[in-house]
Amino acid sequence: MTLSSFISVPPESHFPIQNLPYGVFSPKSGGSKRIGVAIGDHVLDLAALGEAGFFAGTVAQADKVFEQGALNAFMALGSDSWRQVRQIVQDALREDNPDLRDNAALRERVLLPMQSVTLHLPAEIADYTDFYVSKEHATNLGTLFRGKENALLPNWVHVPIAYHGRASSIVVSGTDIHRPYGQVRGEDGKTPIFTASRQMDFELEVGYFVGPGNELGHSIPIGEAMNHVFGAVLVNDWSARDIQNWEYQPLGPFLGKNLGTSISPWVVPMEALDVFRCPQPVQDPQPLPYLRTQGNWAYDISLEVSLRTDTMPTFTTVTRTNLRYAYWNICQQIAHHTITGCNLRPGDLLATGTISGPTPDSYGSLIELSWRGANPVALAGNEQRSFLEDGDCVRMTGWAQGDGFRVGFGDVTGCLLPSLRTGL
């Protein structure tokens, strides 16, 4: 029997009762930030639901986690509390449960139209790690930056490569990004020039929020990794490719990536994604024992990117891919991240890096889609892009398709604005 809500949710909606993603919102009419759940085109106010007694006897209610302006405290409670809360919310929204369905006054208080609220960053993000899990993407960028003969470096198939990003510049969907200035390679290839980036790009990624962390000095075994994952979001890791190309050797990305990272506001629980797990690409050679997983830990999640220029009325889809192409899974990312004893904390964000598929129309960045400008991407209105221009807007979306329903992330959007620097 298909689980259904008394709230009408069309099959193409990203937020059916099977999903119930968490977010932070505030009413546009005024009021503090609090925790909510998306259901159709409504937000269920969990703080108000708690006041009505639905979470009585739970640790979540005792700790007043839903009255806070970030999900960190709820994330820290762990999987038992997550499951308990999810079950209570799902039961309250069922079409055959009259407790909320038939209480008009309560419904008006706890169910808010999505357009009546402002969505915020879902967590206070102290640390952000960006991985490099797509073999296709790593091969493509290696070819473009170093040549085909050195495309995939020898360590890539043995270790989940990552760098530590800048948490302070992570922004919620809808926040615009300004074109950065920096050093780029000059015409002689050896002497840099200081200029506005001429190769601005998007990166299509999925991010995972950490729940309970680990103590410093104690690693997380791969078989326990998922106990530490709260949920997933979409990520656009804006990239200045020319700045990145000049700076990335020998220590990797820095200013080419720290200009801004956009995430979707709704955090999809991992429990909602469990039914969409699938086999991941074959790992050859076999990873070292601490990185070996049992079962299927890839996810069949469709991902899309659309662009709109300042002369276009609508978005044009430029790529379609799938998270299942990721070579390294989230369990391996966590096990590797903590193998040194590095301590993760509630609200830390781990991103996949760009997800690219095996065909040119499934690449997850403009530098790949246009092959560094050699094959500009065609858009509506006879426009084309090799890299992003000022005024361009990027929209990413993703969902897993169930039987008559979708478990989706909504959108993560942002526009590229001119640099704020003047007089240079």
Side-chain angles (χ1 to χ4, degrees):
M1 180 179 175
T2 302
L3 185 64
S4 298
S5 172
F6 65 83
I7 297 174
S8 178
V9 180
E12 66 275 11
S13 170
H14 283 204
F15 307 131
I17 194 172
Q18 290 85 357
N19 188 351
L20 303 181
Y22 297 97
V24 174
F25 76 96
S26 60
K28 291 180 180 178
S29 59
S32 60
K33 295 180 184 178
R34 65 198 83 166
I35 308 303
V37 159
I39 176 70
D41 58 1
H42 286 77
V43 176
L44 178 64
D45 185 338
L46 296 190
L49 198 67
E51 292 173 358
F54 279 73
F55 300 120
T58 68
V59 175
Q61 183 66 16
D63 290 354
K64 299 183 178 180
V65 298
F66 301 130
E67 299 175 23
Q68 302 189 23
L71 280 162
N72 298 60
F74 182 43
M75 292 172 171
L77 292 182
S79 56
D80 287 344
S81 285
W82 306 338
R83 281 191 292 269
Q84 184 182 37
V85 167
R86 178 175 169 80
Q87 188 63 58
I88 290 171
V89 173
Q90 212 163 45
D91 286 345
L93 293 170
R94 290 175 64 104
E95 64 177 353
D96 56 355
N97 186 344
D99 294 345
L100 181 57
R101 183 195 66 193
D102 296 347
N103 189 331
L106 181 59
R107 285 202 319 273
E108 185 176 359
R109 191 162 80 246
V110 304
L111 282 168
L112 308 176
M114 192 79 73
Q115 66 267 24
S116 72
V117 306
T118 298
L119 299 175
H120 306 277
L121 273 177
E124 295 178 357
I125 306 169
D127 278 305
Y128 164 46
T129 304
D130 198 22
F131 281 84
Y132 201 35
V133 305
S134 168
K135 190 174 186 178
E136 289 81 3
H137 175 68
T139 302
N140 289 338
L141 251 61
T143 300
L144 290 169
F145 281 4
R146 295 184 298 272
K148 190 174 182 179
E149 64 282 358
N150 295 310
L152 200 65
L153 297 177
N155 65 343
W156 197 92
V157 294
H158 295 280
V159 56
I161 301 295
Y163 72 94
H164 291 287
R166 185 69 185 176
S168 65
S169 55
I170 297 176
V171 296
V172 73
S173 174
T175 306
D176 296 330
I177 298 294
H178 290 271
R179 183 180 297 273
Y181 266 76
Q183 290 191 31
V184 304
R185 194 182 302 273
E187 292 184 4
D188 63 3
K190 298 179 180 179
T191 306
I193 60 173
F194 181 69
T195 183
S197 171
R198 302 163 184 169
Q199 297 183 353
M200 282 297 298
D201 201 356
F202 60 77
E203 288 196 333
L204 172 59
E205 309 187 16
V206 172
Y208 299 94
F209 273 108
V210 174
N214 56 301
E215 293 183 17
L216 182 64
H218 296 264
S219 60
I220 298 175
I222 198 162
E224 300 176 13
M226 290 308 296
N227 294 330
H228 297 263
V229 185
F230 175 76
V233 292
L234 291 180
V235 176
N236 179 4
D237 196 27
W238 301 83
S239 298
R241 297 298 186 184
D242 42 2
I243 296 175
Q244 177 186 359
N245 179 253
W246 174 245
E247 74 180 1
Y248 85 106
Q249 291 178 321
L251 292 180
F254 182 36
L255 301 185
K257 300 284 190 164
N258 73 0
L259 59 122
T261 301
S262 303
I263 67 171
S264 53
W266 295 109
V267 186
V268 178
M270 299 311 297
E271 188 174 354
L273 295 172
D274 272 349
V275 295
F276 304 105
R277 284 164 48 185
C278 62
Q280 71 186 71
V282 175
Q283 295 185 322
D284 183 22
Q286 187 178 32
L288 293 176
Y290 80 97
L291 288 173
R292 295 176 190 170
T293 50
Q294 301 293 323
N296 297 329
W297 288 107
Y299 291 89
D300 184 8
I301 298 175
S302 297
L303 302 169
E304 292 185 359
V305 182
S306 302
L307 296 184
R308 188 189 69 208
T309 73
D310 56 7
T311 63
M312 292 167 50
T314 59
F315 283 86
T316 297
T317 299
V318 295
T319 189
R320 292 183 174 92
T321 187
N322 196 292
L323 184 58
R324 69 173 182 266
Y325 296 129
Y327 187 91
W328 297 105
N329 64 50
I330 181 56
C331 301
Q332 293 170 318
Q333 293 170 52
I334 287 177
H336 185 66
H337 200 312
T338 64
I339 196 62
T340 59
C342 172
N343 53 321
L344 300 179
R345 294 172 293 181
D348 283 357
L349 181 66
L350 311 183
T352 59
T354 304
I355 300 297
S356 291
T359 57
D361 61 350
S362 63
Y363 295 162
S365 63
L366 264 181
I367 193 172
E368 296 170 271
L369 290 166
S370 72
W371 208 246
R372 208 175 186 179
N375 304 305
V377 177
L379 302 175
N382 295 320
E383 292 199 65
Q384 58 184 23
R385 287 291 184 270
S386 295
F387 293 98
L388 296 173
E389 298 184 10
D390 291 348
D392 288 352
C393 296
V394 180
R395 182 178 67 193
M396 297 179 176
T397 191
W399 69 88
Q401 185 64 54
D403 184 9
F405 67 91
R406 285 181 172 179
V407 171
F409 295 81
D411 295 340
V412 55
T413 62
C415 299
L416 179 65
L417 302 183
S419 171
L420 291 172
R421 297 187 67 94
T422 59
L424 293 173

